Amino acid sequence: MTEGVQRSRVETGERYDVFHTDCLARDVVDHVTSRWGVWVLISLRRNDLRFYELRESIRGISEKMLAQTLRLLVADGLVWRKVEPTTPPQVTYGLTGFGRDIGEPLTDLFDRITQRLSADGTP
């Protein structure tokens, strides 16, 4: 009986099963849809930003949470990170091609919600 058995790897040709807790795609979805992941992707949709610019663009996020969120999104391949060897170091973040692909529907969703709210003031 293989029901309930979770595999740590997906065999070649098989699709990811996001309902398994060890699925890599599930981890990426969790990071993208986390409280701050969505806002990081939306904030980076138009321009690459330095850490402090990103922190200022996302009101309410602490430096610690921004750093943790960025670390996860960089590890997932959604965001790139460039460090300029200056004093202090200048760190810039931007979306990878994968990040743009994932961020586009989030941006569309955000734009639809804000257009609807601004049109008649009700959700």
Side-chain angles (χ1 to χ4, degrees):
M1 176 181 222
T2 60
E3 225 173 283
V5 175
Q6 294 186 13
R7 292 172 281 163
S8 60
R9 265 187 226 169
V10 175
E11 301 298 324
T12 304
E14 289 186 42
R15 297 187 66 194
Y16 286 97
D17 185 353
V18 296
F19 295 104
H20 286 275
T21 57
D22 59 351
C23 177
L24 295 175
R26 183 177 179 156
D27 290 341
V28 173
V29 170
D30 286 346
H31 299 157
V32 168
T33 60
S34 70
R35 178 173 182 188
W36 300 112
V38 170
W39 299 116
V40 168
L41 293 176
I42 289 173
S43 293
L44 291 172
R45 70 185 172 197
R46 291 194 181 109
N47 295 315
D48 303 337
L49 297 172
R50 292 183 46 197
F51 184 87
Y52 78 91
E53 294 171 324
L54 198 48
R55 188 186 69 228
E56 288 178 6
S57 74
I58 306 171
R59 297 205 174 115
I61 192 170
S62 68
E63 284 191 26
K64 178 182 176 181
M65 285 309 303
L66 179 57
Q68 287 176 354
T69 302
L70 286 167
R71 195 174 304 119
L72 292 171
L73 295 174
V74 167
D76 290 338
L78 298 164
V79 172
W80 56 261
R81 178 180 191 265
K82 179 182 176 189
V83 179
E84 305 256 348
T86 59
T87 306
Q90 294 181 1
V91 184
T92 306
Y93 295 90
L95 293 179
T96 64
F98 183 39
R100 289 193 189 290
D101 287 346
I102 298 300
E104 190 174 316
L106 297 174
T107 299
D108 290 343
L109 175 65
F110 178 75
D111 290 344
R112 286 181 186 193
I113 291 169
T114 55
Q115 286 171 3
R116 172 69 185 255
L117 291 175
S118 64
D120 61 12
T122 60

